[in-house]
Structure formats: C-alpha cells, structure tokens
Amino acid sequence: MTKDLRVNADRMLASFNQLALIGATGDGGVNRPTFSEAHLAARKWFREEIERSGLEFHTDGAGNHSAVLTCERSNAPTLLLGSHLDSVPKGGRFDGALGVMSALEVLRTVKENGIRLKVNLEAMDFTDEEGTHLSLFGSSAISGHMNPEDLKKPYSGRENFTAGLARAGLTEESLFTAKRPKESLAGYLEVHIEQGKRLERRGLNIGIVSAIVGYGSYRMSYIGRADHAGSSAMEDRLDAGQGVAAFILETRQSVLTKFPNCVANVGKLEFAPGASNIVPARADFLLEFRSPNEQQLAELDAALMKLAHAKAEQFGLQLTAEPLGRHTPSLMSDVMQQAFKDACDDVGLSSVVLPSGAIHDAQSLVDVCPVGMIFVPSVNGTSHSPFEITKWEDCVNGANVLLHATLRLGS
Ligand code: GLV
Ligand code: MN
Ligand code: MN
C-alpha cells in the first residue's frame, strides 16, 4: 500500500507559497540573508508551521530549526531530512526552501498515514547554508566540523556576525553544543533544485547526486596609492583597480585552459577611497573557487595565489590574501543513491546520476552518516536570482521521491 502513497501537493504548495512571502522582493525572489529580519521571520513561521502540523519543534545551539516525528522504538536513530531557509541577497524562492518544505511534507505524510518506521524523522532548516556569515554553518555545527578559527573571520565581518548571533539568541559557545553523536543519525537526505540545465536539457525528472564539489575562498586586497585621476600620468599610477581587473580576467583564462570541471569567481569588489576622480588606492574583494577533485582543488588554489602575486608585481601593488571557508569534495553514499534510484522507480520517474557544482548542507554530513541528495529541474538553469523557477510538478516529484526513499530506509 505504501507504494501508492504520495505527499499532499496542495498542502505543500500552500506552505511553500506562505514561506515565499517572507522577505519577498516583489519580482518572484526572496531576500533572506541569515539573521536578517526576514530570515528570523521565516524561521518563526517555520516553527509555527511545525506546531500547526502537530509535530514536535526542536532547535539547537547553532540555531538549526527542525520538526521531529519520533518512532515507537526507544533509542532509535534519526533519519535527518532538510535544507535551508536563508537565501543569498535577492535570491530565488526555491533554493533551500524547497528542501525544507519537502522534508516537512514527508513528516506530515508519514504521520497522518500512521506509518510506523524504525527511525525517528527530523525535517531540518540548517542555519546559514549560503554563507552570509559562514557557509554551511548549521550543518557544520551538527557534524562537529565547526572550527573556532572560522568564527574569527566570517564573510560578514566580526561585528555583523556577533550582532546576528545575538538577534537569533545564539552565542559563540552555544554553536559547539549542536554537535550530534554519529550513532544518533541513520542518515541524511536532501532535495534541492538543480541550479543548472542538465535535467531540463535531457528531459529527466530527477538527478541523483554522486558527489558535491569542494571549494576554497579568500578575502583579498590589492593596495596601491590614491592619486589625482586627472593629473597623474597613467604610467605613474599604483592603481589597485588595474591589478584586480587583470587578476579577474586572467583567472578566467587560467580556469578555462588548465582546470577542466573547475570554476572561480570574484563575487564582491570594492574600491577605496571610491570616487571617479581618485585612482583606487585599494581593491578589496572576495575570491571563491571550486573543484570536484581534492588534488585539483589544491592545484587551483596554488595557481590562483601565484597569479594574484604576479599581478601585484606587474602593477606595483601590495597583496593580502586571508583564507576563509574551505571544504573538500564529498562523495554521496552508494546506499542512499540506490534508495533514491529505487524511490524514483516506485514513483515512476526517470533519473540520472550527476555531480553537484553548488555546495550544500549534505556535504557537511558525509563523514558522520550516509548522505544522499537529489535534484529537480531548474527552468533555464537559473538560480541565485529572483528568476529562479522550478515547475510545481517537479517540486512535488522531488518530495515524493524523498518520501519513498525515507520509507525504504526507515522500514
Ligand atoms: C550555495 O548555494 C552555493 O553553492 O554557494
Ligand atoms: Mn544557494
Ligand atoms: Mn541551496
């Protein structure tokens, strides 16, 4: 009988649409950076939605919020499901939210159908997946990977970070209490939008993730000299803007020609003092790069640092480069991939195995418990944008595959 079981698509859509109103940007997107007013409102709404669903609400020292459905067996491990409710600045309404809403809907479906599983189920919203402050923050805390050194250099700066923690009722000490013992977790499953075009192009329903890329990031500065932008000769300038522009262009060439399957991005850049008539004395920027392969990630890191130094020398600049977040590439569990494949067959959906170029909470948990992840198609592959769309039918497909993988693993 459970083969025919499906999530309640109308109920899930109603929840999804309510959530999408929180921090809505008016163009289809949401703006919910971690610990912003909209993010805290989304978390409050999630707590109330859990309680309205008759599920137990749980939170921890890293601010992860979850719905819990306990089974009848004492000391049973927990099968964790989830994703994140924070967004990138002016992001889309599906990234992360779909995974949390799918997870909640699976618990509601299991509960209302009186299905007795051998595991507890928990549907989690992980804190700050997107890295407003620290990427994969909540999932790293749960897995015990939170590093006290990382807390000293959040992307947002110390002041914004500590103010955000205080707004959420958290402390730097409390973060370390979120760690879960390995034996308490039966596994972790996540549904996410693909954020690429592979499924759409091939007309497939579900992507079963084989591995998630590793990444590295740096806070960097070129330091030159402010000068009059009208009266100083071009050849006399120590222009930090020139250095960073050359670095960005050559980074692209280097990745394209020497690092297949890798990417690099300068996603934030500020000149100082910052006026049209002053030669930039400083260029402060954030660099991030990704690779599916550990050794290649290290080689890419070394090549980018060498290039950054070469550009400093060429333009007569000083360079500073402070390492920020770093994560090794992560393999998904064979058992979880098979459970998802079988679940696709149960629901009658097509699937393909593929790697993920985006980072996800799933990768934080790979050395704690078996981890699996699926993608549903993104229209035009667009994501981290208000124009991010996944057809509702595909969203429901993802939730149903999550449901059937959960039933297979938990029975
Ligand atoms: C998260 O969405 C990331 O890949 O940066
Ligand atoms: Mn994202
Ligand atoms: Mn995401």
Side-chain angles (χ1 to χ4, degrees):
M1 100 94 177
T2 54
K3 272 234 162 105
D4 300 326
L5 193 66
R6 297 291 181 269
V7 298
N8 182 333
D10 291 342
R11 177 173 60 194
M12 181 169 136
L13 179 61
S15 297
F16 183 86
N17 284 341
Q18 280 174 30
L19 173 61
L21 291 175
I22 306 174
T25 47
D27 50 5
V30 295
N31 189 42
R32 293 199 298 255
T34 300
F35 304 144
S36 63
E37 212 176 295
H39 179 237
L40 295 179
R43 286 149 66 89
K44 179 170 177 287
W45 172 85
F46 183 47
R47 177 183 189 147
E48 290 164 0
E49 189 73 347
I50 290 168
E51 289 165 351
R52 277 192 289 272
S53 307
L55 295 161
E56 209 178 297
F57 171 76
H58 183 266
T59 187
D60 65 22
N64 297 305
H65 279 39
S66 55
V68 176
L69 180 63
T70 44
C71 70
E72 286 166 1
R73 284 175 56 199
S74 55
N75 296 324
T78 294
L79 181 60
L80 195 58
L81 318 175
S83 200
H84 58 97
L85 295 185
D86 66 309
S87 80
V88 292
K90 298 187 180 159
R93 64 190 188 280
F94 294 86
D95 180 353
L98 177 63
V100 179
M101 290 302 95
S102 301
L104 177 65
E105 186 52 39
V106 166
L107 266 62
R108 295 196 287 214
T109 305
V110 170
K111 180 177 160 59
E112 78 184 354
N113 285 279
I115 296 170
R116 295 155 79 142
L117 297 178
K118 295 190 195 131
V119 294
N120 305 315
L121 295 182
E122 186 166 356
M124 180 162 285
D125 158 34
F126 290 105
T127 305
D128 200 16
E129 189 269 357
E130 297 286 10
T132 302
H133 306 282
L134 291 162
S135 297
L136 309 179
F137 172 96
S139 48
S140 301
I142 285 209
S143 61
H145 294 318
M146 181 151 293
N147 182 343
E149 282 305 302
D150 294 342
L151 304 183
K152 295 185 185 155
K153 45 187 184 179
Y155 291 111
S156 53
R158 283 285 302 167
E159 210 174 305
N160 289 327
F161 176 53
T162 50
L165 286 179
R167 277 200 300 283
L170 304 171
T171 65
E172 289 182 62
E173 293 71 44
S174 74
L175 306 179
F176 293 91
T177 63
K179 183 176 174 192
R180 301 268 178 112
K182 282 190 182 188
E183 59 281 6
S184 71
L185 292 175
Y188 173 67
L189 301 177
E190 180 165 352
V191 177
H192 205 279
I193 53 169
E194 185 199 345
Q195 309 178 285
K197 297 185 183 178
R198 295 166 296 180
L199 293 175
E200 186 181 63
R201 275 198 184 127
R202 296 171 65 178
L204 294 167
N205 299 124
I206 299 288
I208 299 175
V209 178
S210 52
I212 303 179
V213 284
Y215 73 92
S217 59
Y218 285 92
R219 186 192 309 285
M220 299 173 68
S221 301
Y222 280 121
I223 300 146
R225 186 183 62 218
D227 254 321
H228 194 294
S231 55
S232 60
M234 292 301 276
E235 61 274 22
D236 290 341
R237 298 179 184 192
L238 299 180
D239 183 341
Q242 294 294 314
V244 72
F247 173 70
I248 292 172
L249 290 173
E250 289 190 36
T251 288
R252 175 181 162 81
Q253 276 318 307
S254 170
V255 173
L256 282 173
T257 54
K258 296 188 218 129
F259 293 94
N261 303 317
C262 294
V263 291
N265 185 49
V266 172
K268 187 169 187 196
L269 167 62
E270 262 173 27
F271 292 140
S276 65
N277 59 357
I278 310 175
V279 173
R282 281 185 78 99
D284 298 314
F285 58 106
L286 291 175
L287 169 70
E288 195 205 74
F289 48 95
R290 302 183 183 197
S291 165
N293 175 283
E294 175 86 64
Q295 191 185 331
Q296 195 189 32
L297 186 68
E299 286 166 8
L300 176 59
D301 185 350
L304 292 177
M305 287 305 105
K306 190 168 168 208
L307 177 61
H309 281 284
K311 294 300 114 187
E313 198 168 317
Q314 181 181 345
F315 292 96
L317 306 169
Q318 287 170 45
L319 171 70
T320 62
E322 179 192 13
L324 298 176
R326 189 170 192 99
H327 210 291
T328 53
S330 311
L331 292 179
M332 300 294 98
S333 131
D334 290 340
V335 172
M336 296 315 208
Q337 289 186 56
Q338 188 60 48
F340 274 133
K341 174 79 189 80
D342 295 338
C344 287
D345 295 344
D346 291 341
V347 183
L349 296 171
S350 56
S351 65
V352 64
V353 175
L354 39 70
S356 171
I359 60 175
H360 297 289
D361 291 308
Q363 70 203 90
S364 298
L365 291 150
V366 287
D367 58 0
V368 178
C369 60
V371 171
M373 177 154 199
I374 52 166
F375 288 153
V376 290
S378 291
V379 174
N380 284 325
T382 305
S383 184
H384 283 187
S385 148
F387 305 112
E388 173 183 279
I389 293 175
T390 289
K391 290 182 196 147
W392 185 245
E393 182 190 330
D394 288 323
C395 295
V396 175
N397 283 344
N400 278 321
V401 173
L402 182 68
L403 171 67
H404 280 272
T406 299
L407 296 178
R408 284 181 167 276
L409 293 162
S411 295

